[in-house]
Amino acid sequence: MSSKEKRNKLVIVCSKGSLDMAYPPLMLATTGAAMGMEVHLYFTFWGINMISKKTVGSLKISPVGNSALPMPNILGMLPGMTSMLTSMMQKKMDKIKMPTIPEMIKTAKESGVKFHACSPTLDMMGLKRDDLIPEVDDIIGAATYLDLASEDAITLFI
Amino acid sequence: MSSKEKRNKLVIVCSKGSLDMAYPPLMLATTGAAMGMEVHLYFTFWGINMISKKTVGSLKISPVGNSALPMPNILGMLPGMTSMLTSMMQKKMDKIKMPTIPEMIKTAKESGVKFHACSPTLDMMGLKRDDLIPEVDDIIGAATYLDLASEDAITLFI
Amino acid sequence: MSSKEKRNKLVIVCSKGSLDMAYPPLMLATTGAAMGMEVHLYFTFWGINMISKKTVGSLKISPVGNSALPMPNILGMLPGMTSMLTSMMQKKMDKIKMPTIPEMIKTAKESGVKFHACSPTLDMMGLKRDDLIPEVDDIIGAATYLDLASEDAITLFI
């Protein structure tokens, strides 16, 4: 490969189940797909929340444990603060016309992004294929993920 | 490219706004630049705190939500604990002659590291170019980031 | 390199010291090694907890600050909840026959995975070689890590 030849593959591990860390992989995935890249998302650990029917529409932001937030932990831990902060962020997202997570997943899927669920995580969480959103293509293990990543892909762990 | 040819480009996404997760990308960036690498930092989501005038000099560590810390959450959430822990870490950093975040940013910039702010994040946070530190080179979107990453770069999401 | 030639090297930064984020790098490392890959783990910041004699056997999960958990922060911060949640996850891991972290480290080492500790982090934490588990191969800095990563490796920051 000459140094000017571009890589055309993007393989992202999605390991977080919070609203703020669900946006970056989906924004990169939809952008990559629009640029003609082959894009794979591998959902593992908390990232399963992004593709579980029960949670995909209600991802939240934590008001504690994130020192980037201006809110003191002693306020953040109060009941109702998680919902309030999540709703505030969702409003900001709406304002800049950013789609919701379920909408981004739909767009990603339509653009050809592949959705892979991590097999041992599903076992650990006691989840089955039916508990996952229909956009999921397959259930794979770490070996298949590494095989995808080894094909000269841009790799990220989010 | 033969397998012995080395990659000479480093493209890091900075997505966290805490003191502890601000050090790794800046340490890698300054080291990479000193080794002659072309280095790009792409600041997105909470990572904007690392390049915002208002927050760059006052990044903090959270005393809760990090089970690597020996402190129980019920103590960590008390007022004053974030400042205390942040000040303790800063002292440890001083002791090993580790520069502060603003100093590392200055060094990185002088070594040729490129600073890119994520456009949709700025819109979401209601921030303008003037709210960012002068070291920021430009405001770009996910497509430009992916373009940089696709040029056979070492890619990391921090 | 033709686009069909596969990369055969995996270089992972381990920066977290929690039980949930200790599993992914070790699962990928052992799988990669079993596939014949050359695998390097670079332990930095909180990741040092994964290779410190004092903490390797007692990594925990935080019940607060992770909005993927169904538990409200006001409950999660109570004394005893970290142990309870950690013990619950460990039981789920046992049930799917997932080894413990010390067992995975042993397996990884036997499969040829290389363990590198980050030099400035040890200085900052006041730790010495003797405080680290025997599986650690060496103590290196960011330049050596970047050198490993630049050899056409799959790179991840966890």
Side-chain angles (χ1 to χ4, degrees), chain C residues 22-38:
Chain C
Y23 272 107
L26 288 168
M27 288 172 70
L28 292 172
T30 51
T31 306
M35 290 164 75
M37 285 185 172
E38 180 187 328

Side-chain angles (χ1 to χ4, degrees), chain A residues 34-96:
Chain A
M35 290 164 74
M37 286 184 170
E38 181 186 328
V39 184
H40 297 266
L41 298 178
Y42 178 54
F43 298 87
T44 189
F45 267 79
W46 314 113
I48 292 291
N49 278 26
M50 291 175 65
I51 52 164
S52 157
K53 283 177 187 168
K54 208 176 151 184
T55 47
V56 62
S58 57
L59 298 178
K60 296 179 188 70
I61 296 192
S62 177
V64 305
N66 177 0
S67 54
L69 289 172
M71 190 186 290
N73 287 319
I74 198 153
L75 281 185
M77 48 74 86
L78 294 177
M81 294 310 264
T82 299
S83 311
M84 198 194 77
L85 187 69
T86 302
S87 148
M88 270 176 60
M89 179 163 166
Q90 203 65 74
K91 266 176 210 159
K92 284 187 184 176
M93 287 295 191
D94 289 352
K95 217 172 156 181
I96 62 163

Side-chain angles (χ1 to χ4, degrees), chain A residues 1 5-7 10 20-21 23-24 27-28 31-32 35 37 64-69 73-74 77 89 92-93 96 98 152 154-158, chain B residues 1 7 15-18 45-46 49 60-64 76-79 82 120 123-124 142-143 145-147 149-153 155-157:
Chain A
M1 190 173 86
E5 224 178 281
K6 299 233 174 180
R7 294 190 284 183
L10 174 62
D20 46 337
M21 284 299 119
Y23 271 107
M27 287 171 71
L28 292 173
T31 306
M35 290 164 74
M37 286 184 170
V64 305
N66 177 0
S67 54
L69 289 172
N73 287 319
I74 198 153
M77 48 74 86
M89 179 163 166
K92 284 187 184 176
M93 287 295 191
I96 62 163
M98 185 68 69
D152 201 30
I154 299 170
T155 54
L156 299 170
F157 187 100
I158 299 185
Chain B
M1 190 173 85
R7 293 189 285 184
S15 74
K16 304 295 186 295
S18 62
F45 265 80
W46 314 112
N49 278 27
K60 297 180 186 70
I61 296 192
S62 177
V64 304
M77 48 74 87
L78 293 177
T82 300
D123 289 347
M124 188 186 73
Y145 156 75
L146 283 174
D147 209 48
S150 68
E151 285 163 0
D152 202 30
T155 54
L156 300 169
F157 186 101

Side-chain angles (χ1 to χ4, degrees), chain B residues 18-34:
Chain B
S18 62
L19 183 62
D20 46 338
M21 284 301 120
Y23 271 108
L26 287 169
M27 288 171 71
L28 292 172
T30 50
T31 306

